[in-house]
């Protein structure tokens, strides 16, 4: 009988577990130390922290996970050991005491071992102690994750270093997504973890179960503004180490598609300058430009017009003229996007019917811009704009690099690079 099948030494309704939970919730380190180091009957005791088996009580309300028609019989049962608790809490002295009494460093009745817990909490000293007592650095959890897969925070860098020093595999795929540790680092913008894994031989273009490389994963993960700089550093590192800028996932989406889907101009610029294809189409027929236009109204604070500029200045084809009213409808609340896109055409026939797709409150909020747009309904574009388009056509996908070399004032260079002015002329 496996350790997870036997009856727990301390069931969830026991007096010991009630005291243990009280100590955990109250962050009472002294009481917790006494309980797990002195009060348990043996060092590898199985402790049941939770058990919501509704089948044992027919009158109990069904949990949300029990869907009508599916009738899943799964329930949450949380088993652990004193060593796992000590490692999860970062109590190094307790871990040392329990290991000294012969605790099994790889016991995992709840699906995760003590080493998993130490890495998840970023407790380097605990991880090193466990490894010194021959904990398996590649032990898989019930979810198929090795300890390296649980090094998910900046604080866990020391744990990752210790694991690699003790022979952990940097290539190991884990979990349902078959992510490598490098994918995990990319998902969370852990640039120092990524540097460490690459130094230990991680394959920069290894694919996970969705066909994504680490670069693709990093570009596709939604980021808080304070994480953007780290994400940019990580992607620059991957590209320097040879990551393919155009690697496609199972949906034929490139890293550029994903960066544009989150309207990240700095990341789009980095990818484009490493050869990413601005013309690429995914399985749905969407280009990177289409992706940022789909996002624009949802993320105006990301200044999506900057991403549109980057794409157009690197040779991205613009929107088919007949589809422009659809773009106007979806992006009306971000007129800078409309301006940049409109100025990429030498001449685009403006229709009075376009007013119908712009909500009245949006029109009034951006009245100056939309009045300038509809003023062009019966007027050709000015000669200066036509010259701009001729120069841009000549430079093609090298606009971003050639325009700054022209002996022109900065204001004119910005004009050639489609810098929005707030009105159309």
């Amino acid at each position: 009988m496996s350790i997870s099948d036997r009856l727990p030494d301390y069931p969830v309704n026991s007096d010991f577990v009630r005291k243990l939970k009280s100590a955990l919730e109250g962050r009472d380190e002294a009481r917790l130390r006494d309980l797990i180091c002195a009060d348990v009957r043996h060092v590898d005791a199985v402790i049941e922290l939770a058990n919501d088996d509704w089948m044992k009580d027919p009158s109990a309300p069904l949990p949300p996970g029990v869907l009508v028609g599916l009738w899943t019989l799964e329930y949450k049962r949380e088993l652990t050991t004193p060593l796992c608790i000590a490692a999860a809490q970062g109590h190094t002295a307790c871990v040392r005491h329990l290991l000294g009494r012969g605790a099994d460093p790889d016991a995992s009745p709840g699906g995760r071992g003590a080493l998993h817990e130490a890495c998840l909490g970023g407790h380097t000293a605990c991880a090193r102690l466990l490894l010194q007592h021959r904990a398996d650095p590649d032990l898989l959890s019930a979810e198929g994750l090795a300890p390296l897969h649980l090094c998910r925070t900046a604080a866990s860098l020391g744990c990752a270093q210790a694991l690699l020093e003790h022979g952990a595999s940097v290539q190991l795929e884990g979990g349902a997504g078959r992510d490598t540790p490098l994918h995990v680092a990319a998902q969370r913008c852990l640039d120092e973890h990524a540097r460490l894994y690459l130094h230990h031989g991680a394959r920069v273009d290894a694919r996970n179960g969705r066909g994504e490389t680490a670069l693709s994963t990093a570009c596709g993960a939604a980021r808080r503004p304070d994480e953007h700089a780290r994400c940019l550093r990580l992607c620059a590192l991957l590209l320097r180490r040879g990551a393919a800028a155009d690697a496609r996932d199972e949906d034929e989406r490139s890293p550029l598609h994903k960066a544009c889907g989150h309207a990240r101009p700095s990341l789009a610029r980095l990818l484009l300058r490493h050869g990413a294809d601005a013309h690429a189409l995914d399985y749905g027929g969407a280009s990177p430009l289409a992706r940022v236009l789909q996002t624009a109204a949802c993320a105006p604070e990301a200044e999506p017009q900057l991403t549109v500029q980057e794409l157009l200045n690197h040779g991205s084809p613009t929107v088919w003229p007949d589809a422009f009213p659809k773009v106007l409808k979806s992006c009306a609340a971000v007129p800078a996007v409309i301006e940049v896109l409109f100025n990429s055409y030498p001449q685009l026939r403006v229709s009075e019917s376009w007013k119908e797709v712009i909500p009245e409150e949006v029109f009034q909020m951006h009245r100056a811009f939309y009045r300038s747009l509809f003023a062009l309904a019966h007027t050709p574009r000015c000669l200066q704009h036509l010259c701009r388009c001729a120069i841009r056509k000549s430079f093609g996908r090298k606009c971003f690099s050639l325009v700054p070399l022209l002996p022109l004032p900065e204001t004119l260079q910005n004009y050639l690079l489609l810098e929005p002015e707030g009105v159309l002329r």
Side-chain angles (χ1 to χ4, degrees), residues 229-374:
R230 280 195 293 125
C231 181
L232 198 61
R233 287 199 303 270
L234 185 142
C235 291
L237 169 67
L238 294 170
L239 288 163
R240 286 197 305 273
R241 296 299 182 90
D246 257 337
R248 307 295 187 88
D249 65 14
E250 63 184 6
D251 295 318
E252 281 296 303
R253 286 184 177 165
S254 67
L256 184 59
H257 278 100
K258 297 181 179 184
C260 291
H262 292 298
R264 296 184 195 151
S266 298
L267 189 49
R269 182 187 308 118
L270 176 69
L271 293 166
L272 287 161
R273 295 188 183 185
H274 278 81
D277 184 5
H279 295 69
L281 301 179
D282 64 17
Y283 269 143
S287 66
L289 180 61
R291 294 279 291 160
V292 70
L293 293 176
Q294 291 164 2
T295 302
C298 302
E301 70 285 350
E303 299 185 283
Q305 70 274 10
L306 300 179
T307 306
V308 174
Q309 272 183 273
E310 289 294 343
L311 290 166
L312 293 172
N313 288 330
H314 283 79
S316 169
T318 193
V319 174
W320 184 253
D322 290 346
F324 193 85
K326 294 181 180 179
V327 176
L328 182 60
K329 181 178 181 179
S330 65
C331 300
V334 196
V337 168
I338 303 298
E339 181 183 352
V340 170
L341 195 61
F342 190 85
N343 281 334
S344 66
Y345 302 88
Q347 184 75 39
L348 187 62
R349 181 173 294 180
V350 178
S351 169
E352 292 287 344
S353 65
W354 290 1
K355 290 182 180 179
E356 299 173 7
V357 304
I358 304 172
E360 181 60 26
E361 64 274 15
V362 171
F363 188 94
Q364 293 302 328
M365 188 182 301
H366 305 288
R367 188 174 181 82
F369 172 77
Y370 284 114
R371 287 185 67 179
S372 72
L373 171 64
F374 290 108

Side-chain angles (χ1 to χ4, degrees), residues 182 190-200 233 237 240-241:
L182 187 60
L190 299 175
D191 53 320
E192 291 301 322
H193 285 65
R195 193 182 310 278
L196 175 66
Y197 298 154
L198 291 167
H199 177 72
H200 281 80
R233 287 199 303 270
L237 169 67
R240 286 197 305 273
R241 296 299 182 90

Side-chain angles (χ1 to χ4, degrees), residues 39-77:
D39 289 10
V40 292
R41 287 189 291 271
H42 60 88
V43 289
D44 287 329
V46 176
I47 302 166
E48 186 178 51
L49 292 181
N51 188 339
D52 61 1
D53 184 3
W54 56 271
M55 290 293 287
K56 293 177 181 176
D57 181 5
S59 65
L62 296 184
V66 182
L67 304 178
V68 175
L70 293 181
W71 293 97
T72 177
L73 299 182
E74 294 181 1
Y75 66 95
K76 180 181 178 182
R77 188 187 192 202

